[in-house]
Each structure stands twice: as C-alpha cells, then as structure tokens.
Amino acid sequence: MSENRVVEGRMVTARKLAEIVEGDSVMEVDSIEEADRECPACGGSVLTVTYMPSVTELVTGRKCQDCDWSETDRN
C-alpha cells in the first residue's frame, strides 16, 4: 500500500485521502502520488490518488496538501 502524507496538517493514508476527495467511503484505493501541478487556489503542492468509489467506477482525485481544494477526473 502507499505511504502516509501530510494533508492540511494531518497524516493521511491513501484511503483517507480518497475519502476526503470523494466525501464518502471508497471500495478500493491505489497509492498516493505527487501531482505535476500546483494548487489553483493557493499554489501549494497537489497529491493524486486513484480509487474505486463503486464497482463500476474508477476515479482519479487531486487534493491540495495545504488547503481544502480538491477535484476529480469525473468532470
């Protein structure tokens, strides 16, 4: 599984990061990775996590390590 990362001042696992981005529990989670971009809200570092919120959906979520900005590739 993945290593823990600091997000908004607290340590999170890949599962917890996916749940923060999704706003709900998730079924399966991949590892946390550094995104190749800065946060559009504050300029901080962005992490990515790929997860399955349901059996039929695979989502990549992005979350800033410094503020509450997040997005998914559902858009």
Side-chain angles (χ1 to χ4, degrees):
M1 195 59 136
S2 68
E3 59 194 66
N4 294 340
R5 301 291 176 96
V6 176
V7 175
E8 294 185 64
R10 62 181 183 228
M11 293 295 285
V12 297
T13 62
R15 177 168 297 280
K16 182 62 180 170
L17 181 60
E19 289 172 349
I20 290 169
V21 172
E22 187 65 18
D24 201 357
S25 62
V26 297
M27 294 182 63
E28 189 70 32
V29 180
D30 201 1
S31 62
I32 298 172
E33 297 180 14
E34 298 286 330
D36 209 14
R37 65 185 285 186
E38 291 182 348
C39 174
C42 75
S45 298
V46 175
L47 299 174
T48 64
V49 62
T50 302
Y51 59 94
M52 291 180 67
S54 67
V55 176
T56 60
E57 190 175 23
L58 182 66
V59 176
T60 299
R62 292 176 232 14
K63 171 77 177 91
C64 178
Q65 287 186 268
D66 301 322
C67 73
D68 63 354
W69 176 87
S70 66
E71 70 176 11
T72 65
D73 63 355
R74 281 188 182 108
N75 305 346

Short mmCIF file of all heavy atoms in Angstrom, two decimals:
data_model
loop_
_atom_site.label_atom_id
_atom_site.label_comp_id
_atom_site.label_asym_id
_atom_site.label_seq_id
_atom_site.Cartn_x
_atom_site.Cartn_y
_atom_site.Cartn_z
N MET A 1 0.85 -1.18 0.00
CA MET A 1 0.00 0.00 0.00
C MET A 1 0.90 1.24 0.00
O MET A 1 2.10 1.16 -0.02
CB MET A 1 -0.93 -0.07 1.22
CG MET A 1 -2.08 0.89 1.15
SD MET A 1 -3.09 0.58 -0.30
CE MET A 1 -4.68 0.70 0.37
N SER A 2 0.34 2.36 0.07
CA SER A 2 1.10 3.60 -0.04
C SER A 2 1.57 4.10 1.31
O SER A 2 1.14 3.65 2.36
CB SER A 2 0.23 4.66 -0.70
OG SER A 2 -0.81 5.00 0.18
N GLU A 3 2.43 5.06 1.24
CA GLU A 3 2.91 5.71 2.45
C GLU A 3 1.95 6.82 2.87
O GLU A 3 1.11 7.25 2.10
CB GLU A 3 4.30 6.28 2.19
CG GLU A 3 4.30 7.28 1.05
CD GLU A 3 5.69 7.61 0.57
OE1 GLU A 3 6.33 6.70 0.03
OE2 GLU A 3 6.11 8.76 0.74
N ASN A 4 2.09 7.27 4.09
CA ASN A 4 1.26 8.36 4.59
C ASN A 4 1.82 9.69 4.11
O ASN A 4 3.01 9.84 3.88
CB ASN A 4 1.23 8.36 6.12
CG ASN A 4 0.55 7.14 6.67
OD1 ASN A 4 -0.21 6.48 5.99
ND2 ASN A 4 0.82 6.84 7.91
N ARG A 5 0.96 10.67 3.98
CA ARG A 5 1.34 12.03 3.60
C ARG A 5 0.65 13.02 4.50
O ARG A 5 -0.41 12.74 5.06
CB ARG A 5 0.93 12.32 2.15
CG ARG A 5 1.51 11.41 1.11
CD ARG A 5 3.02 11.64 0.97
NE ARG A 5 3.59 10.72 0.05
CZ ARG A 5 3.81 10.97 -1.24
NH1 ARG A 5 3.50 12.13 -1.74
NH2 ARG A 5 4.32 10.05 -2.02
N VAL A 6 1.22 14.21 4.61
CA VAL A 6 0.60 15.28 5.38
C VAL A 6 -0.32 16.07 4.46
O VAL A 6 0.11 16.55 3.41
CB VAL A 6 1.67 16.21 5.99
CG1 VAL A 6 1.01 17.37 6.72
CG2 VAL A 6 2.56 15.44 6.95
N VAL A 7 -1.58 16.19 4.86
CA VAL A 7 -2.58 16.95 4.11
C VAL A 7 -3.30 17.84 5.11
O VAL A 7 -3.89 17.35 6.07
CB VAL A 7 -3.59 16.02 3.39
CG1 VAL A 7 -4.68 16.83 2.72
CG2 VAL A 7 -2.87 15.14 2.38
N GLU A 8 -3.22 19.13 4.89
CA GLU A 8 -3.84 20.12 5.77
C GLU A 8 -3.43 19.91 7.23
O GLU A 8 -4.24 19.99 8.14
CB GLU A 8 -5.36 20.11 5.63
CG GLU A 8 -5.83 20.57 4.26
CD GLU A 8 -7.34 20.66 4.19
OE1 GLU A 8 -7.91 21.50 4.92
OE2 GLU A 8 -7.93 19.89 3.42
N GLY A 9 -2.16 19.60 7.44
CA GLY A 9 -1.61 19.48 8.79
C GLY A 9 -1.83 18.17 9.49
O GLY A 9 -1.47 18.02 10.66
N ARG A 10 -2.38 17.15 8.81
CA ARG A 10 -2.57 15.84 9.45
C ARG A 10 -2.10 14.73 8.52
O ARG A 10 -2.17 14.85 7.30
CB ARG A 10 -4.01 15.64 9.87
CG ARG A 10 -4.96 15.64 8.72
CD ARG A 10 -6.40 15.46 9.16
NE ARG A 10 -7.20 15.42 7.95
CZ ARG A 10 -8.30 16.10 7.76
NH1 ARG A 10 -8.75 16.88 8.71
NH2 ARG A 10 -8.97 16.00 6.65
N MET A 11 -1.64 13.64 9.13
CA MET A 11 -1.18 12.49 8.35
C MET A 11 -2.38 11.73 7.82
O MET A 11 -3.33 11.47 8.58
CB MET A 11 -0.33 11.56 9.21
CG MET A 11 0.98 12.17 9.65
SD MET A 11 2.10 12.51 8.28
CE MET A 11 2.65 10.88 7.88
N VAL A 12 -2.36 11.39 6.54
CA VAL A 12 -3.44 10.61 5.94
C VAL A 12 -2.87 9.46 5.12
O VAL A 12 -1.78 9.54 4.57
CB VAL A 12 -4.36 11.47 5.03
CG1 VAL A 12 -5.05 12.55 5.82
CG2 VAL A 12 -3.60 12.05 3.86
N THR A 13 -3.62 8.37 5.06
CA THR A 13 -3.30 7.25 4.19
C THR A 13 -3.94 7.50 2.83
O THR A 13 -4.74 8.43 2.67
CB THR A 13 -3.88 5.94 4.78
OG1 THR A 13 -5.31 6.07 4.83
CG2 THR A 13 -3.32 5.65 6.16
N ALA A 14 -3.64 6.65 1.87
CA ALA A 14 -4.26 6.76 0.55
C ALA A 14 -5.78 6.62 0.66
O ALA A 14 -6.53 7.36 0.03
CB ALA A 14 -3.70 5.71 -0.39
N ARG A 15 -6.26 5.70 1.50
CA ARG A 15 -7.70 5.50 1.69
C ARG A 15 -8.34 6.77 2.26
O ARG A 15 -9.38 7.22 1.80
CB ARG A 15 -7.98 4.32 2.60
CG ARG A 15 -9.48 4.13 2.86
CD ARG A 15 -9.80 2.83 3.51
NE ARG A 15 -9.46 1.68 2.70
CZ ARG A 15 -10.20 1.21 1.69
NH1 ARG A 15 -11.32 1.79 1.38
NH2 ARG A 15 -9.81 0.16 1.01
N LYS A 16 -7.74 7.36 3.28
CA LYS A 16 -8.30 8.56 3.90
C LYS A 16 -8.29 9.72 2.91
O LYS A 16 -9.26 10.49 2.84
CB LYS A 16 -7.51 8.92 5.17
CG LYS A 16 -8.06 10.13 5.88
CD LYS A 16 -9.47 9.91 6.37
CE LYS A 16 -10.01 11.12 7.08
NZ LYS A 16 -11.43 11.03 7.36
N LEU A 17 -7.23 9.86 2.12
CA LEU A 17 -7.18 10.92 1.11
C LEU A 17 -8.30 10.74 0.09
O LEU A 17 -9.00 11.69 -0.26
CB LEU A 17 -5.82 10.94 0.41
CG LEU A 17 -5.64 12.01 -0.66
CD1 LEU A 17 -5.80 13.41 -0.07
CD2 LEU A 17 -4.28 11.86 -1.33
N ALA A 18 -8.52 9.51 -0.37
CA ALA A 18 -9.61 9.24 -1.32
C ALA A 18 -10.96 9.58 -0.70
O ALA A 18 -11.82 10.15 -1.36
CB ALA A 18 -9.57 7.78 -1.76
N GLU A 19 -11.14 9.25 0.57
CA GLU A 19 -12.41 9.56 1.25
C GLU A 19 -12.60 11.06 1.42
O GLU A 19 -13.72 11.56 1.32
CB GLU A 19 -12.46 8.85 2.60
CG GLU A 19 -12.62 7.35 2.44
CD GLU A 19 -12.51 6.58 3.73
OE1 GLU A 19 -12.09 7.14 4.77
OE2 GLU A 19 -12.82 5.37 3.71
N ILE A 20 -11.53 11.82 1.63
CA ILE A 20 -11.62 13.28 1.71
C ILE A 20 -12.06 13.85 0.36
O ILE A 20 -12.96 14.68 0.29
CB ILE A 20 -10.28 13.90 2.16
CG1 ILE A 20 -9.99 13.56 3.62
CG2 ILE A 20 -10.29 15.41 1.96
CD1 ILE A 20 -8.58 13.90 4.06
N VAL A 21 -11.44 13.39 -0.71
CA VAL A 21 -11.78 13.87 -2.05
C VAL A 21 -13.21 13.47 -2.42
O VAL A 21 -13.98 14.28 -2.93
CB VAL A 21 -10.78 13.33 -3.10
CG1 VAL A 21 -11.23 13.67 -4.51
CG2 VAL A 21 -9.39 13.90 -2.85
N GLU A 22 -13.57 12.22 -2.15
CA GLU A 22 -14.88 11.69 -2.54
C GLU A 22 -16.00 12.20 -1.64
O GLU A 22 -17.15 12.32 -2.06
CB GLU A 22 -14.84 10.16 -2.51
CG GLU A 22 -16.06 9.48 -3.03
CD GLU A 22 -16.33 9.70 -4.51
OE1 GLU A 22 -15.41 10.10 -5.26
OE2 GLU A 22 -17.48 9.49 -4.93
N GLY A 23 -15.68 12.46 -0.38
CA GLY A 23 -16.71 12.88 0.56
C GLY A 23 -17.51 11.71 1.12
O GLY A 23 -18.55 11.89 1.74
N ASP A 24 -17.02 10.50 0.89
CA ASP A 24 -17.70 9.28 1.32
C ASP A 24 -16.67 8.15 1.35
O ASP A 24 -15.54 8.32 0.88
CB ASP A 24 -18.84 8.96 0.35
CG ASP A 24 -19.90 8.06 0.95
OD1 ASP A 24 -19.74 7.63 2.11
OD2 ASP A 24 -20.90 7.78 0.26
N SER A 25 -17.06 6.99 1.84
CA SER A 25 -16.14 5.85 1.85
C SER A 25 -15.93 5.33 0.42
O SER A 25 -16.75 5.55 -0.47
CB SER A 25 -16.67 4.74 2.75
OG SER A 25 -17.90 4.28 2.27
N VAL A 26 -14.81 4.65 0.22
CA VAL A 26 -14.46 4.10 -1.09
C VAL A 26 -14.18 2.61 -0.94
O VAL A 26 -13.89 2.12 0.15
CB VAL A 26 -13.26 4.84 -1.71
CG1 VAL A 26 -13.58 6.29 -1.96
CG2 VAL A 26 -12.03 4.72 -0.84
N MET A 27 -14.27 1.88 -2.06
CA MET A 27 -14.08 0.43 -2.04
C MET A 27 -12.61 0.04 -2.11
O MET A 27 -12.14 -0.77 -1.33
CB MET A 27 -14.82 -0.21 -3.20
CG MET A 27 -16.31 -0.09 -3.12
SD MET A 27 -17.11 -0.92 -4.48
CE MET A 27 -16.63 -2.61 -4.20
N GLU A 28 -11.90 0.57 -3.06
CA GLU A 28 -10.52 0.19 -3.34
C GLU A 28 -9.70 1.44 -3.60
O GLU A 28 -10.20 2.40 -4.18
CB GLU A 28 -10.47 -0.73 -4.56
CG GLU A 28 -9.15 -1.36 -4.84
CD GLU A 28 -8.77 -2.43 -3.82
OE1 GLU A 28 -9.65 -3.11 -3.29
OE2 GLU A 28 -7.56 -2.56 -3.57
N VAL A 29 -8.42 1.42 -3.19
CA VAL A 29 -7.58 2.61 -3.31
C VAL A 29 -6.20 2.22 -3.82
O VAL A 29 -5.64 1.20 -3.42
CB VAL A 29 -7.41 3.30 -1.94
CG1 VAL A 29 -6.56 4.53 -2.05
CG2 VAL A 29 -8.76 3.64 -1.35
N ASP A 30 -5.64 3.05 -4.69
CA ASP A 30 -4.27 2.91 -5.14
C ASP A 30 -3.40 3.82 -4.27
O ASP A 30 -3.88 4.45 -3.34
CB ASP A 30 -4.19 3.30 -6.62
CG ASP A 30 -2.96 2.72 -7.30
OD1 ASP A 30 -2.19 2.00 -6.65
OD2 ASP A 30 -2.78 2.98 -8.50
N SER A 31 -2.15 3.94 -4.57
CA SER A 31 -1.22 4.74 -3.77
C SER A 31 -1.34 6.24 -4.04
O SER A 31 -1.88 6.66 -5.06
CB SER A 31 0.21 4.30 -4.03
OG SER A 31 0.54 4.51 -5.38
N ILE A 32 -0.81 7.01 -3.11
CA ILE A 32 -0.75 8.47 -3.24
C ILE A 32 0.48 8.80 -4.09
O ILE A 32 1.55 8.23 -3.90
CB ILE A 32 -0.60 9.15 -1.86
CG1 ILE A 32 -1.80 8.86 -0.97
CG2 ILE A 32 -0.39 10.65 -2.03
CD1 ILE A 32 -1.63 9.35 0.45
N GLU A 33 0.33 9.75 -5.01
CA GLU A 33 1.44 10.22 -5.82
C GLU A 33 1.46 11.73 -5.86
O GLU A 33 0.43 12.38 -5.67
CB GLU A 33 1.31 9.68 -7.25
CG GLU A 33 1.38 8.18 -7.33
CD GLU A 33 1.24 7.68 -8.75
OE1 GLU A 33 1.34 8.50 -9.69
OE2 GLU A 33 1.01 6.47 -8.92
N GLU A 34 2.64 12.28 -6.12
CA GLU A 34 2.77 13.72 -6.31
C GLU A 34 2.19 14.09 -7.67
O GLU A 34 2.49 13.43 -8.67
CB GLU A 34 4.24 14.15 -6.28
CG GLU A 34 4.95 13.86 -4.97
CD GLU A 34 4.55 14.81 -3.87
OE1 GLU A 34 4.19 15.96 -4.15
OE2 GLU A 34 4.58 14.37 -2.71
N ALA A 35 1.35 15.11 -7.72
CA ALA A 35 0.81 15.59 -8.99
C ALA A 35 1.84 16.52 -9.63
O ALA A 35 2.67 17.10 -8.94
CB ALA A 35 -0.50 16.32 -8.78
N ASP A 36 1.77 16.66 -10.90
CA ASP A 36 2.70 17.51 -11.63
C ASP A 36 2.08 18.89 -11.84
O ASP A 36 2.06 19.39 -12.96
CB ASP A 36 3.04 16.86 -12.96
CG ASP A 36 4.43 17.22 -13.44
OD1 ASP A 36 5.21 17.75 -12.64
OD2 ASP A 36 4.73 16.95 -14.62
N ARG A 37 1.57 19.49 -10.75
CA ARG A 37 0.92 20.79 -10.85
C ARG A 37 0.84 21.43 -9.47
O ARG A 37 1.03 20.78 -8.46
CB ARG A 37 -0.47 20.65 -11.44
CG ARG A 37 -1.42 19.86 -10.54
CD ARG A 37 -2.76 19.61 -11.13
NE ARG A 37 -3.57 20.80 -11.10
CZ ARG A 37 -4.83 20.86 -11.45
NH1 ARG A 37 -5.43 19.78 -11.88
NH2 ARG A 37 -5.52 21.97 -11.40
N GLU A 38 0.52 22.72 -9.47
CA GLU A 38 0.30 23.46 -8.23
C GLU A 38 -1.19 23.65 -8.02
O GLU A 38 -1.97 23.65 -8.96
CB GLU A 38 0.97 24.83 -8.30
CG GLU A 38 2.47 24.79 -8.31
CD GLU A 38 3.08 26.19 -8.34
OE1 GLU A 38 2.36 27.18 -8.58
OE2 GLU A 38 4.29 26.28 -8.15
N CYS A 39 -1.57 23.87 -6.77
CA CYS A 39 -2.96 24.11 -6.43
C CYS A 39 -3.42 25.43 -7.05
O CYS A 39 -2.75 26.46 -6.88
CB CYS A 39 -3.12 24.17 -4.92
SG CYS A 39 -4.76 24.65 -4.36
N PRO A 40 -4.55 25.46 -7.76
CA PRO A 40 -5.04 26.70 -8.34
C PRO A 40 -5.57 27.68 -7.29
O PRO A 40 -5.69 28.87 -7.56
CB PRO A 40 -6.17 26.24 -9.27
CG PRO A 40 -6.60 24.94 -8.74
CD PRO A 40 -5.40 24.32 -8.10
N ALA A 41 -5.87 27.20 -6.10
CA ALA A 41 -6.41 28.08 -5.05
C ALA A 41 -5.32 28.76 -4.24
O ALA A 41 -5.44 29.94 -3.92
CB ALA A 41 -7.32 27.28 -4.12
N CYS A 42 -4.24 28.01 -3.90
CA CYS A 42 -3.23 28.60 -3.00
C CYS A 42 -1.80 28.44 -3.49
O CYS A 42 -0.88 28.98 -2.87
CB CYS A 42 -3.37 28.01 -1.60
SG CYS A 42 -2.75 26.32 -1.45
N GLY A 43 -1.58 27.69 -4.56
CA GLY A 43 -0.23 27.49 -5.08
C GLY A 43 0.54 26.38 -4.38
O GLY A 43 1.71 26.17 -4.65
N GLY A 44 -0.11 25.64 -3.49
CA GLY A 44 0.54 24.56 -2.74
C GLY A 44 0.72 23.31 -3.57
O GLY A 44 0.33 23.23 -4.74
N SER A 45 1.32 22.31 -2.97
CA SER A 45 1.56 21.02 -3.63
C SER A 45 0.26 20.22 -3.71
O SER A 45 -0.55 20.24 -2.80
CB SER A 45 2.58 20.21 -2.84
OG SER A 45 3.81 20.87 -2.81
N VAL A 46 0.11 19.49 -4.82
CA VAL A 46 -1.09 18.69 -5.05
C VAL A 46 -0.72 17.21 -5.10
O VAL A 46 0.29 16.84 -5.70
CB VAL A 46 -1.78 19.11 -6.37
CG1 VAL A 46 -2.96 18.20 -6.69
CG2 VAL A 46 -2.24 20.56 -6.29
N LEU A 47 -1.53 16.39 -4.46
CA LEU A 47 -1.37 14.94 -4.49
C LEU A 47 -2.48 14.33 -5.35
O LEU A 47 -3.56 14.90 -5.47
CB LEU A 47 -1.48 14.37 -3.08
CG LEU A 47 -0.46 14.84 -2.07
CD1 LEU A 47 -0.79 14.31 -0.68
CD2 LEU A 47 0.93 14.42 -2.47
N THR A 48 -2.20 13.16 -5.92
CA THR A 48 -3.23 12.42 -6.64
C THR A 48 -3.41 11.05 -6.00
O THR A 48 -2.47 10.49 -5.44
CB THR A 48 -2.89 12.21 -8.14
OG1 THR A 48 -1.72 11.41 -8.24
CG2 THR A 48 -2.69 13.51 -8.85
N VAL A 49 -4.62 10.55 -6.09
CA VAL A 49 -4.94 9.21 -5.62
C VAL A 49 -6.00 8.64 -6.56
O VAL A 49 -6.94 9.32 -6.95
CB VAL A 49 -5.42 9.22 -4.15
CG1 VAL A 49 -6.68 10.02 -3.97
CG2 VAL A 49 -5.55 7.82 -3.60
N THR A 50 -5.82 7.39 -6.96
CA THR A 50 -6.79 6.71 -7.81
C THR A 50 -7.55 5.72 -6.96
O THR A 50 -6.96 4.99 -6.17
CB THR A 50 -6.08 5.99 -8.97
OG1 THR A 50 -5.32 6.96 -9.70
CG2 THR A 50 -7.06 5.32 -9.90
N TYR A 51 -8.88 5.72 -7.10
CA TYR A 51 -9.71 4.89 -6.23
C TYR A 51 -10.99 4.46 -6.93
O TYR A 51 -11.37 5.02 -7.95
CB TYR A 51 -10.04 5.63 -4.93
CG TYR A 51 -10.78 6.93 -5.14
CD1 TYR A 51 -12.17 6.98 -5.11
CD2 TYR A 51 -10.10 8.11 -5.38
CE1 TYR A 51 -12.85 8.17 -5.29
CE2 TYR A 51 -10.77 9.31 -5.57
CZ TYR A 51 -12.14 9.33 -5.52
OH TYR A 51 -12.82 10.51 -5.71
N MET A 52 -11.64 3.47 -6.35
CA MET A 52 -12.92 2.98 -6.84
C MET A 52 -13.99 3.29 -5.79
O MET A 52 -14.03 2.63 -4.75
CB MET A 52 -12.87 1.48 -7.10
CG MET A 52 -12.00 1.10 -8.27
SD MET A 52 -11.96 -0.69 -8.54
CE MET A 52 -13.64 -0.98 -9.07
N PRO A 53 -14.86 4.26 -6.06
CA PRO A 53 -15.95 4.53 -5.12
C PRO A 53 -17.06 3.49 -5.23
O PRO A 53 -17.84 3.30 -4.30
CB PRO A 53 -16.45 5.91 -5.53
CG PRO A 53 -16.04 6.06 -6.95
CD PRO A 53 -14.79 5.25 -7.13
N SER A 54 -17.12 2.80 -6.37
CA SER A 54 -18.10 1.73 -6.58
C SER A 54 -17.49 0.70 -7.52
O SER A 54 -16.42 0.91 -8.07
CB SER A 54 -19.40 2.29 -7.18
OG SER A 54 -19.16 2.75 -8.50
N VAL A 55 -18.18 -0.40 -7.71
CA VAL A 55 -17.67 -1.48 -8.56
C VAL A 55 -17.48 -1.05 -10.00
O VAL A 55 -16.60 -1.54 -10.70
CB VAL A 55 -18.63 -2.69 -8.49
CG1 VAL A 55 -18.20 -3.80 -9.43
CG2 VAL A 55 -18.73 -3.22 -7.08
N THR A 56 -18.27 -0.10 -10.46
CA THR A 56 -18.27 0.28 -11.88
C THR A 56 -17.52 1.57 -12.18
O THR A 56 -17.57 2.03 -13.32
CB THR A 56 -19.71 0.43 -12.37
OG1 THR A 56 -20.35 1.45 -11.59
CG2 THR A 56 -20.47 -0.87 -12.26
N GLU A 57 -16.84 2.15 -11.20
CA GLU A 57 -16.23 3.46 -11.43
C GLU A 57 -14.80 3.51 -10.91
O GLU A 57 -14.52 3.09 -9.79
CB GLU A 57 -17.07 4.54 -10.74
CG GLU A 57 -16.68 5.94 -11.09
CD GLU A 57 -17.63 6.96 -10.47
OE1 GLU A 57 -18.30 6.67 -9.48
OE2 GLU A 57 -17.69 8.06 -11.03
N LEU A 58 -13.89 4.04 -11.72
CA LEU A 58 -12.50 4.30 -11.34
C LEU A 58 -12.27 5.79 -11.47
O LEU A 58 -12.47 6.37 -12.53
CB LEU A 58 -11.53 3.53 -12.24
CG LEU A 58 -10.05 3.68 -11.90
CD1 LEU A 58 -9.76 3.03 -10.54
CD2 LEU A 58 -9.19 3.05 -12.98
N VAL A 59 -11.85 6.43 -10.37
CA VAL A 59 -11.72 7.88 -10.31
C VAL A 59 -10.30 8.25 -9.90
O VAL A 59 -9.71 7.61 -9.05
CB VAL A 59 -12.71 8.46 -9.28
CG1 VAL A 59 -12.53 9.96 -9.12
CG2 VAL A 59 -14.14 8.13 -9.66
N THR A 60 -9.77 9.30 -10.52
CA THR A 60 -8.53 9.90 -10.05
C THR A 60 -8.88 11.21 -9.38
O THR A 60 -9.53 12.07 -9.99
CB THR A 60 -7.54 10.16 -11.21
OG1 THR A 60 -7.23 8.91 -11.81
CG2 THR A 60 -6.27 10.82 -10.71
N GLY A 61 -8.48 11.34 -8.12
CA GLY A 61 -8.75 12.56 -7.37
C GLY A 61 -7.47 13.33 -7.12
O GLY A 61 -6.40 12.75 -7.01
N ARG A 62 -7.58 14.65 -7.05
CA ARG A 62 -6.45 15.51 -6.75
C ARG A 62 -6.81 16.35 -5.53
O ARG A 62 -7.94 16.85 -5.43
CB ARG A 62 -6.15 16.42 -7.92
CG ARG A 62 -5.60 15.66 -9.13
CD ARG A 62 -5.40 16.57 -10.30
NE ARG A 62 -5.94 16.26 -11.61
CZ ARG A 62 -6.84 15.38 -11.98
NH1 ARG A 62 -7.41 14.63 -11.12
NH2 ARG A 62 -7.20 15.23 -13.22
N LYS A 63 -5.85 16.50 -4.61
CA LYS A 63 -6.10 17.23 -3.37
C LYS A 63 -4.87 18.04 -3.00
O LYS A 63 -3.75 17.54 -3.03
CB LYS A 63 -6.42 16.23 -2.25
CG LYS A 63 -6.48 16.82 -0.86
CD LYS A 63 -7.78 17.56 -0.66
CE LYS A 63 -7.91 18.09 0.76
NZ LYS A 63 -7.39 19.43 0.93
N CYS A 64 -5.08 19.31 -2.66
CA CYS A 64 -4.00 20.18 -2.21
C CYS A 64 -3.57 19.74 -0.81
O CYS A 64 -4.40 19.41 0.03
CB CYS A 64 -4.46 21.63 -2.19
SG CYS A 64 -3.19 22.77 -1.59
N GLN A 65 -2.27 19.78 -0.56
CA GLN A 65 -1.76 19.44 0.76
C GLN A 65 -1.95 20.58 1.76
O GLN A 65 -1.91 20.35 2.96
CB GLN A 65 -0.28 19.09 0.69
CG GLN A 65 -0.02 17.75 0.04
CD GLN A 65 1.43 17.38 0.11
OE1 GLN A 65 2.19 17.67 -0.80
NE2 GLN A 65 1.82 16.73 1.19
N ASP A 66 -2.18 21.80 1.27
CA ASP A 66 -2.21 22.96 2.15
C ASP A 66 -3.59 23.56 2.40
O ASP A 66 -3.81 24.21 3.40
CB ASP A 66 -1.30 24.06 1.59
CG ASP A 66 0.14 23.58 1.46
OD1 ASP A 66 0.60 22.83 2.34
OD2 ASP A 66 0.80 23.94 0.46
N CYS A 67 -4.53 23.40 1.46
CA CYS A 67 -5.87 23.99 1.63
C CYS A 67 -6.94 22.96 1.30
O CYS A 67 -6.62 21.81 1.00
CB CYS A 67 -6.03 25.25 0.76
SG CYS A 67 -6.19 24.93 -1.02
N ASP A 68 -8.19 23.33 1.31
CA ASP A 68 -9.27 22.36 1.11
C ASP A 68 -9.65 22.12 -0.36
O ASP A 68 -10.60 21.41 -0.64
CB ASP A 68 -10.51 22.76 1.91
CG ASP A 68 -11.11 24.09 1.47
OD1 ASP A 68 -10.52 24.77 0.61
OD2 ASP A 68 -12.18 24.45 1.99
N TRP A 69 -8.89 22.67 -1.32
CA TRP A 69 -9.19 22.46 -2.74
C TRP A 69 -8.99 20.99 -3.11
O TRP A 69 -8.03 20.33 -2.70
CB TRP A 69 -8.25 23.32 -3.60
CG TRP A 69 -8.44 23.07 -5.05
CD1 TRP A 69 -9.33 23.67 -5.87
CD2 TRP A 69 -7.72 22.12 -5.86
NE1 TRP A 69 -9.23 23.17 -7.15
CE2 TRP A 69 -8.25 22.22 -7.16
CE3 TRP A 69 -6.71 21.22 -5.61
CZ2 TRP A 69 -7.77 21.44 -8.21
CZ3 TRP A 69 -6.25 20.42 -6.65
CH2 TRP A 69 -6.78 20.55 -7.94
N SER A 70 -9.93 20.46 -3.90
CA SER A 70 -9.80 19.12 -4.46
C SER A 70 -10.66 19.04 -5.74
O SER A 70 -11.55 19.87 -5.94
CB SER A 70 -10.24 18.04 -3.47
OG SER A 70 -11.61 18.14 -3.21
N GLU A 71 -10.36 18.05 -6.58
CA GLU A 71 -11.15 17.81 -7.78
C GLU A 71 -10.99 16.35 -8.18
O GLU A 71 -10.08 15.68 -7.71
CB GLU A 71 -10.72 18.73 -8.93
CG GLU A 71 -9.35 18.40 -9.50
CD GLU A 71 -8.98 19.25 -10.71
OE1 GLU A 71 -9.67 20.22 -10.99
OE2 GLU A 71 -7.97 18.91 -11.36
N THR A 72 -11.88 15.89 -9.06
CA THR A 72 -11.77 14.54 -9.61
C THR A 72 -11.79 14.64 -11.13
O THR A 72 -12.10 15.68 -11.70
CB THR A 72 -12.94 13.64 -9.16
OG1 THR A 72 -14.16 14.15 -9.71
CG2 THR A 72 -13.03 13.57 -7.65
N ASP A 73 -11.47 13.53 -11.79
CA ASP A 73 -11.48 13.50 -13.26
C ASP A 73 -12.86 13.18 -13.82
O ASP A 73 -13.01 12.92 -14.99
CB ASP A 73 -10.43 12.52 -13.79
CG ASP A 73 -10.70 11.09 -13.38
OD1 ASP A 73 -11.65 10.82 -12.61
OD2 ASP A 73 -9.93 10.21 -13.83
N ARG A 74 -13.89 13.23 -12.98
CA ARG A 74 -15.27 12.99 -13.45
C ARG A 74 -15.76 14.10 -14.37
O ARG A 74 -16.65 13.89 -15.15
CB ARG A 74 -16.22 12.93 -12.26
CG ARG A 74 -16.21 11.64 -11.53
CD ARG A 74 -17.32 11.65 -10.52
NE ARG A 74 -17.33 10.46 -9.74
CZ ARG A 74 -16.98 10.39 -8.48
NH1 ARG A 74 -16.57 11.46 -7.83
NH2 ARG A 74 -17.02 9.24 -7.84
N ASN A 75 -15.23 15.29 -14.23
CA ASN A 75 -15.73 16.45 -14.97
C ASN A 75 -15.63 16.25 -16.40
O ASN A 75 -15.46 16.21 -17.33
CB ASN A 75 -14.97 17.72 -14.57
CG ASN A 75 -15.05 17.93 -13.07
OD1 ASN A 75 -15.85 17.31 -12.39
ND2 ASN A 75 -14.21 18.78 -12.57
#
